[in-house]
Amino acid sequence: MLLYLHLLLFCLIPVDRGDFSPPRFNVSLEVPPEQRWGPVLKHYDAAQLRKIVQRVIDAAPKWLSFIIERFENQLGQILPQPYEAEIQGMAKALNLSLGEGLLINLAYELSSFCTSIVVQDTEGNIYHGRNLDFAFSDALRSLTVDLQFIKNGQIVYTGTTFVGFVGLWTGQRPNKFTISGNARVNRDWWKIAVAVLFQRSLPPSWLIRDTLLEAEDFHTALKKLTYSPITANVYYILGGVRPTEGVIITRSLNGPVDIWPLNPMKEQWYRVETNYDHWNNPPPSDDRRTPAMQALNATGQNNINLHALLKVLTVKPVLNNFTIYTTLMCAAQPYYYRTLVRT
Ligand SMILES: *[C@@H]1O[C@H](CO)[C@@H](O)[C@H](O)[C@H]1NC(C)=O
Ligand SMILES: *[C@@H]1O[C@H](CO)[C@@H](O)[C@H](O)[C@H]1NC(C)=O
Ligand SMILES: *[C@@H]1O[C@H](CO)[C@@H](O)[C@H](O)[C@H]1NC(C)=O
C-alpha cells in the first residue's frame, strides 16, 4: 500500500528535468547527540563538506567570529541541548571547532527568502507546501537531505535540512501537524541572535525541532510556536489534520505579533506567507505573494491537492534562482512527505 502510494505520487507529479529527490536518512534519537549525525555524515566527503562550510563561515561578519572564538570555552554551558552536543559531534567529524560549527548553524539560520502555503480543500483536507530560497544555493543543493528522526523503531518526525545544520525549517509530525518557517527580515539580525542566544532563547529552527518532538497535537504546537522566546523574528506556518487547522504565526522575539488562521467558511481556504507581514503590501521588487495567490485562485479549492500545490510553487517568481528545494506535506497522509531539489 505504502509503496503503491509513493509510486502514485511519483507519477502524478511532473518532475522537471534536473529537479531531483534528495537522499533520505534516519537519525536515531536514541543515539547520544554527539554521535547521532555520524550515519548521515558518512555519506559525505568530509573535505568537500569542509570546503562548502568554509564559504558560509567566510561570509559571516568578522565580529561574529570574534565573539564566538572569545566565548568558545563557555559555549558548552550556554547553548541548549541536544543541539550543542549535536553541533559538537558534527564539528568533530568535520575537523571544525565548536565555534565554527555554531557559526555555520547561525549562518544557515538566515534563510533569506521563502514561500509557504497552507490550504484546505473542499473535503477539509489540509495540505502544506514550501519553497526554501537561500544564498549559496549551488552549494546547498548538494547538501539537502530529508531526515526521519527515529525512536522505538517509529518515525517521531520527518524534516528537511542541509547537512551540518541541526535545525529544521521544514518538518512533519506524522498524523499531527506540519511546520515551515520563513524569515521575517530585520537588519540587525546577527547582533540580536548572539545577544539573545546568551539569554538562552532558541534559534527559530531549533524551536521547530523541539515542537516536532514534544507537541502532541496541532493546538499544543500552535502554543509552543507562538509563545516560546526565539532569537530572530520569523513566520511560522502550521498545518494540522482537521478542517480549519492551518495558520500563519507572525513572531517577534518574545511572542506573537499576529495569528492568521484559515477561515474556509468565508472562502479563505488558503494562506500564503513569503517574507512580509500579511497586512502590508509586499515591496514591488519582491512580490511573490500576488503570483502565488493568482495561481491558487486559478486552481480553485475544488482542485487543490499536493500536485496542484507543487504547480503553484513552480510559478515564477515563487520559484526563482535562489530556490533550493520545494517540500510538499500533509500530516494526515504522512507518507506523502516529499522534497524536490530545484535546479
Ligand atoms: C584538522 O584541523 C587542524 C587545525 O585546523 C589541522 O591542523 C589538521 O591537519 C586537520 N586534520 C585533518 C585530518 O584535516
Ligand atoms: C529508517 O527507520 C524506519 C523506521 O524504523 C525503518 O522502517 C527503515 O527501514 C529505516 N531506514 C533505513 C535506511 O535504515
Ligand atoms: C484571489 O481571490 C480572492 C477571492 O475571490 C480575491 O479577494 C483576491 O483579490 C484574489 N487575489 C488575486 C491575487 O488574484
Side-chain angles (χ1 to χ4, degrees), residues 76-308:
Q77 287 100 62
I78 293 166
L79 299 175
Q81 299 297 350
Y83 308 106
E84 185 269 341
E86 289 186 11
I87 294 174
Q88 185 86 259
M90 209 141 22
K92 201 165 163 196
L94 298 178
N95 195 28
L96 299 169
S97 69
L98 174 59
E100 289 170 318
L102 176 63
L103 205 55
I104 48 165
N105 272 273
L106 290 181
Y108 284 168
E109 278 298 316
L110 196 64
S111 88
S112 27
F113 297 103
C114 302
T115 304
S116 289
I117 302 174
V118 61
V119 303
Q120 176 174 324
D121 72 8
T122 43
E123 322 256 87
N125 298 305
I126 305 288
Y127 302 108
H128 185 164
R130 74 109 80 247
N131 280 354
L132 188 127
D133 306 354
F134 198 93
F136 310 109
S137 41
D138 288 338
L140 293 183
R141 280 187 183 103
S142 63
L143 298 187
T144 304
V145 282
D146 280 341
L147 299 169
Q148 304 183 142
F149 292 80
I150 308 286
K151 203 170 172 178
N152 297 325
Q154 302 288 319
I155 298 174
V156 184
Y157 57 95
T158 304
T160 303
T161 195
F162 307 120
V163 174
F165 185 62
V166 301
L168 293 178
W169 280 114
T170 311
Q172 167 179 276
R173 173 104 177 190
N175 303 306
K176 306 286 186 198
F177 55 84
T178 52
I179 310 175
S180 60
N182 290 12
R184 181 167 180 245
V185 178
N186 50 349
R187 250 178 288 132
D188 285 330
W189 187 88
W190 287 101
K191 285 178 205 170
I192 295 169
V194 170
V196 178
L197 206 56
F198 281 80
Q199 296 162 24
R200 296 164 193 264
S201 292
L202 288 177
S205 71
W206 300 8
L207 178 60
I208 292 182
R209 256 189 82 182
D210 271 15
T211 305
L212 289 166
L213 178 68
E214 292 164 20
E216 288 290 338
D217 57 38
F218 176 84
H219 291 283
T220 320
L222 176 57
K223 238 190 229 164
K224 200 165 167 65
L225 293 173
T226 302
Y227 294 106
S228 309
I230 46 177
T231 61
N233 294 338
V234 73
Y235 304 99
Y236 285 125
I237 299 83
L238 178 66
V241 290
R242 276 182 282 276
T244 74
E245 287 186 346
V247 63
I248 297 193
I249 307 160
T250 302
R251 277 295 314 258
S252 68
L253 305 187
N254 296 314
V257 176
D258 179 78
I259 294 183
W260 196 39
L262 291 171
N263 191 354
M265 301 301 279
K266 294 206 165 143
E267 290 181 28
Q268 295 169 14
W269 56 274
Y270 63 77
R271 292 292 184 225
V272 175
E273 180 54 64
T274 59
N275 301 93
Y276 307 100
D277 295 344
H278 69 82
W279 56 92
N280 292 330
N281 287 326
S285 59
D286 181 32
D287 185 3
R288 286 161 287 128
R289 185 197 294 168
T290 309
M293 288 174 64
Q294 279 165 349
L296 286 160
N297 282 359
T299 305
Q301 192 181 11
N302 281 323
N303 298 315
I304 198 69
N305 51 33
L306 290 180
H307 170 55

